[in-house]
Amino acid sequence: MIISAVWRRAATLVLVCLAGLVPAVATPASAAPLSHHSAPALRRDLPEPPGADVALKELGELKVEEPHQTPGYSRAKFSHWARVYGQCDARGVVLSRDGKGVTQDSLCRAVAGTWYSAYDGKTLDAASKVDVDHLVPISNAWKSGADLWTTDKRKAFANDLTHSQLIAVSASSNRSKGDQSPDQWAPPNKDYWCTYGRAWTDIKYVYGLSITAPEKKALEKMLDTCD
């Protein structure tokens, strides 16, 4: 387990330094567009974050400070929903990855399937009811260090399919969450607190983002729910 964790950290540092967009499953960019058939066999649900013991260690190493007040924030500075392969952007890939029985049209839009929203425990029967959430919101990242990033690193963060950053959830839960941190909003489904806390902590650690003191206390509370 220790060797595995070391290799995972090393690979992560390389990915962040390169600021590249790495899909969960490599697919040639020249692949033909999908056309009313089952989506590729991509990983289901968001990539598994590190265990609670690793997350607690990461949490202890995060910089604690007040949110940055840098002006000029814009979601456009993060180039979200970048093309991954064919006609599929990062959002389309997550919809196919996180759903069951998903079919897509020639533009990679989900036209059928079901999705389980871990935030609130709802099962959704139409893509129109689903949002793809940035687990650590883009604006939160801006206030905790992304204001100093390069454009390429912001793009990598906003389209990260390798770590626990993008997840398909109900539109209602995503909009309730908005850009709030764990001390301001927590998933209504408390059974998901452990995973949410581990994922949030790891994303902040991977990208070198800071946390606030109330945010740290809320994450500790979430991690305490892990078995």
Side-chain angles (χ1 to χ4, degrees), residues 7-170:
W7 278 108
R8 183 179 185 278
R9 291 295 134 209
T12 290
L13 289 174
V14 172
L15 286 170
V16 172
C17 290
L18 291 176
L21 177 60
V22 182
V25 175
T27 306
S30 60
L34 301 176
S35 179
H36 289 92
H37 56 65
S38 296
L42 302 171
R43 290 178 66 169
R44 297 296 179 189
D45 208 348
L46 87 168
E48 183 69 17
D53 54 342
V54 175
L56 282 169
K57 182 177 182 297
E58 292 176 342
L59 184 60
E61 296 178 14
L62 293 178
K63 183 177 182 179
V64 179
E65 63 179 6
E66 291 298 307
H68 296 192
Q69 300 299 323
T70 307
Y73 166 72
S74 171
R75 285 178 67 86
K77 292 183 177 181
F78 288 77
S79 299
H80 53 295
W81 309 151
R83 186 71 59 85
V84 178
Y85 63 85
Q87 296 295 314
C88 295
D89 60 16
R91 182 179 184 278
V93 170
V94 173
L95 285 175
S96 67
R97 181 197 71 188
D98 289 6
K100 293 184 178 180
V102 177
T103 58
Q104 298 168 298
D105 64 17
S106 61
L107 296 178
C108 202
R109 296 173 299 197
V111 295
T114 59
W115 293 263
Y116 174 74
S117 171
Y119 285 0
D120 50 13
K122 294 180 179 179
T123 297
L124 311 165
D125 59 5
S128 60
K129 302 176 183 178
V130 182
D131 278 356
V132 174
D133 181 41
H134 290 89
L135 196 135
V136 173
I138 288 175
S139 62
N140 181 282
W142 176 267
K143 296 174 185 176
S144 54
D147 55 325
L148 304 175
W149 289 354
T150 64
T151 298
D152 284 346
K153 187 171 181 180
R154 290 176 190 149
K155 180 179 180 180
F157 172 84
N159 298 278
D160 190 343
L161 295 167
T162 302
H163 303 99
S164 311
Q165 169 64 344
L166 299 176
I167 180 173
V169 296
S170 68

